[in-house]
C-alpha cells in the first residue's frame, strides 16, 4: 500500500487555506484551533506595538522597557501558534479513542479509560490557550497605558482578539468536561477556566478604557 502523506500542520497553511479547511466538512480544525489562532493574533498585535514603541524617536531611554514587553508578547504568540495544532491533534486522538473496540468487558473498560484520558487532554489544551491569551493581555494592558499613541487602535483590536480567544477556549474546556463533570480533574479545569475568564473580562474592560481615552 502507498504510504499516506502526513497532514500539513495548520500553522503552515496560508490564511486562505486555513479558513477553507475550517469551513470544510471535516470537524477539525474547529473552535479550539480558531480560538488559539485568535489569541496568537491578539498577542502579535501587542508585540507589534511594543516593538514600534521601542523604536520611537525620542524614546531611546525606554528601549529596554518596551523590548522586554515585546519578548513577553512573542513568547505568548509562539505558544499560541503551537496550540493551534495541539488542539486539533488532541481532538483527533479523542476521535481515535471513541473508535476503539468495545465488544467485550475488557475492551469496554480499555476504551472508557482511553476516552477519559483523551477527553482530559482535549480539555487541558484549551485551558492552556486561555492561560497564554490572558498573559498576552498583560502586554496589551501595558501598551494601552504606555505604548505608541498612533498604534492605540491596534492595542484595542488585540484586546478584543485575546478576550475572544479566552472565551472561545473556555467553551471548549466546558464541552470536553461535560461528560466527566463529577471527576476531580474536570472540576479543577472548570474552576481554573472560570477564574481565567473573569480575569480576561476585567483586563479587556481596563484595556479598552485606556484605548478609548487615548483615541
Amino acid at each position: 500500500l502507498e504510504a499516506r502523506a502526513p497532514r500539513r500542520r495548520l500553522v503552515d497553511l496560508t490564511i486562505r487555506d486555513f479558513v477553507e479547511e475550517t469551513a470544510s466538512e471535516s470537524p477539525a480544525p474547529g473552535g479550539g484551533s480558531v480560538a488559539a489562532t485568535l489569541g496568537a493574533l491578539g498577542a502579535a498585535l501587542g508585540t507589534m506595538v511594543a516593538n514600534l514603541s521601542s523604536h520611537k524617536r525620542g524614546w531611546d531611554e525606554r528601549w529596554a522597557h518596551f523590548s522586554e514587553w515585546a519578548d513577553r508578547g512573542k513568547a505568548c504568540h509562539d505558544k499560541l501558534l503551537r496550540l493551534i495544532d495541539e488542539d486539533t491533534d488532541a481532538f483527533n486522538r479523542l476521535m481515535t479513542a471513541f473508535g476503539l473496540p468495545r465488544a467485550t468487558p475488557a475492551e469496554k473498560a480499555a476504551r472508557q479509560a482511553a476516552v477519559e484520558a483523551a477527553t482530559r487532554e482535549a480539555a487541558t489544551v484549551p485551558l492552556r490557550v486561555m492561560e497564554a491569551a490572558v498573559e498576552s493581555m498583560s502586554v496589551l494592558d501595558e501598551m494601552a497605558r504606555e505604548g505608541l499613541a498612533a498604534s492605540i487602535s491596534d492595542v484595542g483590536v488585540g484586546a478584543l482578539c485575546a478576550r475572544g480567544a479566552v472565551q472561545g477556549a473556555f467553551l471548549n474546556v466546558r464541552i470536553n468536561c461535560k461528560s466527566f463533570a463529577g471527576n476531580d480533574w474536570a472540576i479543577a479545569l472548570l474552576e481554573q477556566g472560570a477564574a481565567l475568564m473573569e480575569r480576561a473580562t476585567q483586563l479587556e474592560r481596563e484595556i479598552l478604557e485606556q484605548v478609548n481615552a487615548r483615541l
Side-chain angles (χ1 to χ4, degrees):
L1 294 176
E2 184 179 349
R4 185 177 179 181
R7 178 180 68 85
R8 291 176 64 189
R9 306 300 288 172
L10 296 173
V11 292
D12 295 329
L13 299 178
T14 65
I15 293 174
R16 178 181 296 277
D17 287 344
F18 181 85
V19 170
E20 291 180 350
E21 179 66 19
T22 301
S24 72
E25 294 180 1
S26 170
S33 289
V34 170
T37 304
L38 193 59
L41 289 169
L45 283 169
T47 304
M48 180 193 79
V49 177
N51 280 322
L52 289 171
S53 300
S54 71
H55 291 96
K56 176 178 169 57
R57 183 176 299 178
W59 283 12
D60 294 351
E61 76 283 357
R62 305 183 71 186
W63 178 87
H65 172 75
F66 286 115
S67 293
E68 289 176 2
W69 282 104
D71 288 342
R72 287 181 63 175
K74 185 179 187 306
C76 291
H77 64 72
D78 283 348
K79 182 181 295 184
L80 285 157
L81 285 172
R82 291 192 296 270
L83 288 165
I84 292 171
D85 278 290
E86 287 183 24
D87 186 90
T88 293
D89 291 344
F91 174 82
N92 288 335
R93 283 191 286 271
L94 179 57
M95 292 301 99
T96 298
F98 276 124
L100 291 173
R102 48 180 171 174
T104 68
E107 287 179 345
K108 288 180 180 179
R111 178 183 178 274
Q112 178 63 17
V115 167
E116 180 172 354
T119 302
R120 182 172 182 173
E121 181 185 11
T124 300
V125 172
L127 186 79
R128 290 163 57 199
V129 170
M130 296 180 74
E131 291 170 341
V134 168
E135 174 62 23
S136 78
M137 295 182 85
S138 297
V139 179
L140 290 158
D141 184 54
E142 179 66 14
M143 293 308 103
R145 299 172 190 279
E146 303 291 339
L148 192 66
S151 297
I152 196 65
S153 60
D154 299 306
V155 175
V157 174
L160 293 170
C161 287
R163 200 266 187 173
V166 174
Q167 187 170 18
F170 192 33
L171 294 176
N172 280 270
V173 173
R174 291 169 60 194
I175 197 169
N176 281 295
C177 287
K178 186 176 181 179
S179 297
F180 297 93
N183 290 35
D184 289 345
W185 63 264
I187 293 170
L189 289 178
L190 290 169
E191 289 177 350
Q192 293 172 57
L196 288 165
M197 189 68 246
E198 182 177 356
R199 177 60 176 155
T201 301
Q202 176 187 353
L203 282 168
E204 181 196 41
R205 182 175 61 251
E206 293 174 357
I207 293 167
L208 291 180
E209 284 176 356
Q210 291 293 326
V211 168
N212 287 319
R214 296 181 66 191
L215 282 174

